[in-house]
Amino acid sequence: MEATAILPVLKKKLAFLSGGKDRRSGLILTIPLCSEQTNMDELSATLDYLLSIPSEKCKARGFTVIVDGRKSQWNVVKTVVLMLQNVIPAEVSLVCVLKPDEFWDKKVTHFCFWKEKDRLGFEVILVSANKLTRYIEPCQLTEEFGGSLVYDHMDWVNKRLVFEKFTKESTSLLDELALINTGSEKGSQQEQERPTDFNILPSVDPETVLQTGHELLSELQQRRFNGSEGGVSWSPMDDELLAQPQVVKLLDSLREQYTRYQEVCRQRSKRTQLEEIQQKVMQVVNWLEGPGSEQLKTQWGIGDSIRASQALQQKHEEIESQHSEWFAVYVELNQQLAALLNAGDEEDLTELKSLQQQLSDVCYRHASQLEFRQNLLQTALEFHGIAQDLSQQLDGLLGMLCADTAPTDGATIQQTLKLLEEKLKSVDITLQSLREKGQALLEQISTQASWAYGKDVSAENKENVDHIQGVMDDMQLRKQRCEDMVDVRRLKMLQMVQLLKCEEDATQAVEWLSELLDALLKTHVRLGDDASEVKILLEKHKKFVDVAQSTYDYGRQLLQATVVLCQSLRCTTRSSGDTLPRLNRVWKQFTVTSEERLHRLEMAHSFHAAAEKIFKESTEQPETLVSIEVFDEAEGTGRSLLDRLTIPVIYPDGTEQYFGSPSDMASTAEHIREKIKSISLKRQQQHEKIQQQQKEQPATCSPDS
């Protein structure tokens, strides 16, 4: 019975040989019953298989059977024990039934195994798991019974499958090898006289079977002698369960027959190889010297473009493919010749060496020519690829140079300039690469004549050299033209940058002048509290006007520069139609406003000077009378200034603007009015003083009369 026939049943672990032994060196058979109903037919098949494994000598020592009924019912246990009587009555020496504590006590009286010893043929004892060591050493019990013996049931099943497969394959292979070796020995005499087709191969690979056997043997030996501190750790894979000597014997027989088989194959191969090699060598040499050489003589061009070079390269690859088939034959033949030279007879050495030398010379010569041709075509392809790339770069650069460039903003122009420089630099690098690749290609072509096989290739080489030189000269000329155009475009774009800068600065000048006008109207409001302060304000106003004048002149100069640049660039600009009128308009408004501011400051200075003169003479020379004209001038100037404060600044376009806010104007006007009142008061005081003096004068003159 084989394990594969009952593999599903074996995997259920209805019974197993753990490898443990009782005190009489008998094997321990374990039947672990579970809470579910046990299939007795499957258990019987499992016991039949397990009992077929040990040797007769091992069976003679008897079995100790452990029936684990701790999770099962009493009726199942009793059935299993009675089954043992039918399956292995002679081999069983002791049956240990593990019972749960105080569970079967009442039922034991109905069936006492010890009374049935004679009928059963073996002794049956009921024992608790913790008392099982009274009959079996702990080191021979597995872990579920409180022992230390390691057992893996699935590992055991897998090893049994491997063992049985190896036994079956090795036995079949031994028969086949014996048949092959015997037939070869009988036919050796006929093979020397005439060729034979006797070439029987075994159905399985001997190396694979030997490797499987060695791995199995190594596993058995490792498990058999894997000891621990307590002594040898017996396992279910020892020599008594898996017949380790049988594996060793089969391996020895296989090695012997396989060695003989290898020698038979070697001798047969040696006899047939020599004739085949001689024939193949001549086939290779004849093809290479004939059709192979004719193919190579027709291939000398390098093409005038990428497509042409690729077509030539494809053609060369086809030639290489044909040669490769013969080179593969050469490699195989060379290896065979080397093997025959190492193991050949003396009379064969000279012929073999001659064949090997002839074959090597022809093949190496053709291989070198193929490699040279391949390198030449690859260099030509790279050269044409660089030339095409350079041509595309020059086309792109030329297209960029020919495109109209309108001034948009300085950043865009700077970016365009940078892009032009980068493209020109890339063209320089690519052209240099083209020169280097072209020089390398010319050097390769100059050595091409050495592979001519007597053919005159000067015409083909001259055509190739002229083509390469022509491509490099044409690219150099195109690059020079592009450089000249780049110089012109660079100058034009720099002028554009300058033009845009001038326009931007002119616009900024207009904004600055507008800001100055706005500041003049909104912040230059004060007219001073006295003549000295007004004088300071006049000086500040003059400086302020000078700044505005400089700003206006700067804007005019920038706009004049834009006109010149536009004429040079032959383009229109916004300045002539927008910026210049704005600049002139703002400057006229500023001029009108500044003049009005100057007039008001001058009037304020005259007013404060006249008022201060009145106040000073009245204070320092109270006896001196101020002329009526001075009073009239001061009051008239003050009132004129008040009237002027109420008048807006009128621009040439008819628009009006007031200085400062109404509150600022009201404050300034109030101060002037107060000063006018003070002047009027001084006039009144002087008038009263004059009247007083006139009244006093008659009284003074009467006594004299």
Side-chain angles (χ1 to χ4, degrees):
M1 181 184 298
E2 295 182 357
T4 54
I6 60 168
L7 183 58
V9 177
L10 283 179
K11 289 182 178 180
K12 292 182 179 181
K13 198 180 177 182
L14 300 178
F16 61 88
L17 290 169
S18 64
K21 296 183 179 181
D22 57 20
R23 292 187 175 92
R24 297 174 295 99
S25 297
L27 292 177
I28 297 176
L29 174 63
T30 305
I31 303 176
L33 300 177
C34 58
S35 59
E36 299 177 358
Q37 187 67 29
T38 302
N39 190 316
M40 294 303 166
D41 293 337
E42 293 180 350
L43 177 59
S44 177
T46 303
L47 293 175
D48 289 341
Y49 175 75
L50 293 177
L51 293 176
S52 67
I53 296 174
S55 63
E56 294 300 328
K57 181 180 177 181
C58 183
K59 292 180 182 179
R61 288 196 292 267
F63 291 89
T64 294
V65 182
I66 300 177
V67 181
D68 187 1
R70 291 175 294 178
K71 297 180 181 179
S72 183
Q73 299 178 0
W74 166 249
N75 292 334
V76 177
V77 173
K78 182 172 65 174
T79 303
V80 171
V81 172
L82 293 177
M83 178 188 291
L84 294 175
Q85 179 187 12
N86 298 326
V87 178
I88 49 173
E91 288 84 1
V92 177
S93 58
L94 176 64
V95 177
C96 295
V97 179
L98 297 188
K99 63 183 183 63
D101 297 336
E102 299 179 359
F103 186 72
W104 290 340
D105 291 346
K106 294 181 180 181
K107 297 184 179 181
V108 171
T109 56
H110 298 288
F111 188 84
C112 296
F113 287 120
W114 64 271
K115 294 181 180 180
E116 302 293 333
K117 179 178 180 180
D118 295 336
R119 186 170 66 87
L120 292 174
F122 47 79
E123 181 181 0
V124 181
I125 60 173
L126 296 176
V127 64
S128 300
N130 56 2
K131 295 179 181 180
L132 187 59
T133 54
R134 294 180 182 179
Y135 305 96
I136 303 172
E137 294 296 334
C139 64
Q140 302 300 324
L141 292 174
T142 55
E143 295 179 354
E144 59 262 43
F145 302 126
S148 59
L149 182 63
V150 178
Y151 173 74
D152 186 341
H153 184 69
M154 291 309 299
D155 181 65
W156 181 87
V157 171
N158 292 333
K159 292 301 183 296
R160 281 299 302 178
L161 292 173
V162 174
F163 168 74
E164 291 180 358
K165 179 181 178 183
F166 168 72
T167 303
K168 183 177 181 180
E169 289 182 351
S170 59
T171 303
S172 175
L173 182 59
L174 280 173
D175 294 339
E176 293 180 7
L177 292 178
L179 178 62
I180 294 172
N181 294 335
T182 303
S184 178
E185 291 174 358
K186 290 180 180 180
S188 60
Q189 184 64 32
Q190 291 82 352
E191 288 179 2
Q192 294 177 359
E193 298 176 356
R194 59 180 177 82
T196 180
D197 295 331
F198 186 79
N199 189 22
I200 302 177
L201 295 176
S203 59
V204 293
D205 182 20
E207 294 286 351
T208 304
V209 178
L210 283 171
Q211 182 179 356
T212 303
H214 284 300
E215 292 176 354
L216 177 60
L217 182 60
S218 175
E219 180 69 19
L220 293 177
Q221 291 173 344
Q222 181 181 1
R223 294 173 60 86
R224 176 63 178 82
F225 298 105
N226 184 17
S228 60
E229 296 180 359
V232 177
S233 177
W234 294 91
S235 72
M237 302 301 290
D238 63 21
D239 57 339
E240 292 180 291
L241 294 183
L242 285 182
Q244 179 176 328
Q246 184 179 356
V247 177
V248 175
K249 182 179 179 181
L250 286 171
L251 284 175
D252 292 340
S253 300
L254 275 176
R255 279 192 290 267
E256 179 183 357
Q257 290 293 335
Y258 185 50
T259 302
R260 290 178 58 193
Y261 170 76
Q262 288 177 320
E263 179 63 22
V264 168
C265 293
R266 190 184 68 81
Q267 291 296 334
R268 186 184 303 123
S269 175
K270 180 181 176 182
R271 287 192 295 271
T272 57
Q273 255 187 329
L274 184 57
E275 295 179 359
E276 294 177 355
I277 287 176
Q278 290 176 343
Q279 183 181 2
K280 290 180 179 179
V281 166
M282 295 313 300
Q283 288 178 351
V284 173
V285 172
N286 292 336
W287 189 89
L288 291 177
E289 294 289 355
S293 296
E294 292 298 325
Q295 287 181 347
L296 292 174
K297 288 179 181 179
T298 61
Q299 300 296 312
W300 296 101
I302 62 170
D304 57 358
S305 63
I306 291 181
R307 181 174 298 178
S309 295
Q310 287 176 341
L312 289 173
Q313 202 169 43
Q314 184 177 0
K315 177 63 177 177
H316 181 73
E317 289 175 356
E318 294 174 359
I319 296 175
E320 272 190 337
S321 177
Q322 296 180 27
H323 279 73
S324 297
E325 296 177 2
W326 293 99
F327 288 156
V329 177
Y330 157 72
V331 172
E332 182 182 355
L333 289 174
N334 197 43
Q335 293 175 351
Q336 293 175 3
L337 286 170
L340 291 176
L341 285 171
N342 292 331
D345 299 329
E346 291 294 333
E347 60 272 14
D348 298 332
L349 292 181
T350 303
E351 183 181 0
L352 289 173
K353 287 182 179 179
S354 176
L355 285 172
Q356 188 180 44
Q357 187 64 40
Q358 180 185 9
L359 183 63
S360 297
D361 291 343
V362 174
C363 289
Y364 276 119
R365 185 167 64 250
H366 278 260
S368 299
Q369 186 176 0
L370 286 170
E371 183 180 4
F372 173 83
R373 177 65 178 170
Q374 176 62 33
N375 293 337
L376 180 67
L377 289 176
Q378 182 62 34
T379 306
L381 181 63
E382 293 173 359
F383 173 78
H384 290 122
I386 296 173
Q388 179 175 308
D389 186 26
L390 179 58
S391 179
Q392 291 174 352
Q393 291 182 18
L394 290 170
D395 290 342
L397 182 58
L398 184 62
M400 188 175 179
L401 292 171
C402 293
D404 292 334
T405 304
T408 54
D409 59 83
T412 303
I413 295 176
Q414 291 291 351
Q415 185 177 0
T416 305
L417 274 173
K418 182 179 179 182
L419 182 59
L420 277 175
E421 297 295 341
E422 291 176 352
K423 284 183 174 292
L424 190 59
K425 183 178 179 181
S426 177
V427 166
D428 287 335
I429 295 173
T430 308
L431 181 59
Q432 181 61 31
S433 177
L434 181 69
R435 293 190 186 120
E436 294 174 356
K437 189 62 67 174
Q439 189 61 38
L441 186 56
L442 290 174
E443 292 176 359
Q444 286 180 300
I445 291 176
S446 65
T447 62
Q448 190 175 14
S450 61
W451 304 102
Y453 284 107
K455 178 183 177 181
D456 184 11
V457 294
S458 57
E460 288 84 350
N461 283 346
K462 184 178 185 305
E463 183 180 348
N464 293 335
V465 171
D466 292 344
H467 168 68
I468 295 169
Q469 197 63 49
V471 170
M472 291 192 293
D473 294 343
D474 179 62
M475 292 301 171
Q476 177 63 38
L477 183 61
R478 290 180 60 188
K479 185 250 184 183
Q480 186 61 47
R481 289 200 298 265
C482 284
E483 279 186 340
D484 296 340
M485 294 181 68
V486 167
D487 292 339
V488 175
R489 176 55 60 89
R490 185 187 296 112
L491 178 61
K492 182 177 181 181
M493 298 189 80
L494 289 176
Q495 289 179 339
M496 287 182 181
V497 172
Q498 187 177 3
L499 171 62
L500 292 173
K501 181 64 177 175
C502 289
E503 288 186 349
E504 182 181 353
D505 291 347
T507 303
Q508 184 65 51
V510 174
E511 293 178 358
W512 288 342
L513 197 59
S514 299
E515 292 174 358
L516 291 174
L517 175 60
D518 189 62
L520 181 61
L521 288 169
K522 293 182 179 180
T523 60
H524 292 218
V525 179
R526 284 183 51 78
L527 296 178
D529 296 334
D530 50 44
S532 60
E533 184 178 357
V534 174
K535 188 176 182 180
I536 293 173
L537 291 175
L538 281 169
E539 292 177 357
K540 289 183 177 181
H541 178 71
K542 184 175 182 300
K543 292 179 180 180
F544 188 78
V545 172
D546 291 341
V547 172
Q549 181 69 48
S550 299
T551 303
Y552 172 71
D553 294 340
Y554 175 65
R556 291 280 299 182
Q557 292 172 1
L558 290 173
L559 291 175
Q560 290 174 359
T562 59
V563 173
V564 175
L565 289 172
C566 284
Q567 292 174 351
S568 176
L569 294 172
R570 297 179 182 179
C571 64
T572 58
T573 177
R574 299 184 300 272
S575 300
S576 59
D578 182 19
T579 309
L580 183 60
R582 285 177 55 209
L583 179 66
N584 291 331
R585 182 174 64 256
V586 175
W587 175 245
K588 290 179 181 179
Q589 292 177 352
F590 183 87
T591 302
V592 172
T593 306
S594 63
E595 290 176 354
E596 177 64 22
R597 170 69 175 168
L598 179 62
H599 291 157
R600 292 186 182 188
L601 287 173
E602 289 175 347
M603 291 179 66
H605 184 269
S606 299
F607 171 69
H608 288 300
E612 289 173 359
K613 179 179 179 182
I614 293 172
F615 295 151
K616 182 178 180 181
E617 291 180 357
S618 299
T619 304
E620 295 179 355
Q621 301 176 3
E623 299 299 329
T624 302
L625 298 176
V626 180
S627 64
I628 299 302
E629 290 80 5
V630 173
F631 280 107
D632 292 340
E633 180 183 357
E635 289 179 349
T637 304
R639 289 188 179 91
S640 298
L641 182 58
L642 286 175
D643 294 338
R644 197 162 191 119
L645 290 177
T646 60
I647 300 174
V649 180
I650 301 175
Y651 295 142
D653 59 358
T655 58
E656 299 178 353
Q657 285 288 343
Y658 287 91
F659 279 96
S661 62
S663 60
D664 294 335
M665 291 295 100
S667 175
T668 301
E670 182 64 25
H671 177 71
I672 294 173
R673 290 190 188 96
E674 291 293 331
K675 213 160 196 177
I676 291 175
K677 289 181 181 179
S678 298
I679 293 172
S680 299
L681 181 60
K682 288 292 184 180
R683 178 198 286 266
Q684 182 67 28
Q685 290 176 353
Q686 181 172 313
H687 180 70
E688 291 176 355
K689 183 178 179 181
I690 292 173
Q691 290 180 347
Q692 184 66 31
Q693 289 178 353
Q694 290 176 352
K695 290 179 180 180
E696 291 177 355
Q697 186 172 7
T700 305
C701 295
S702 58
D704 295 336
S705 60

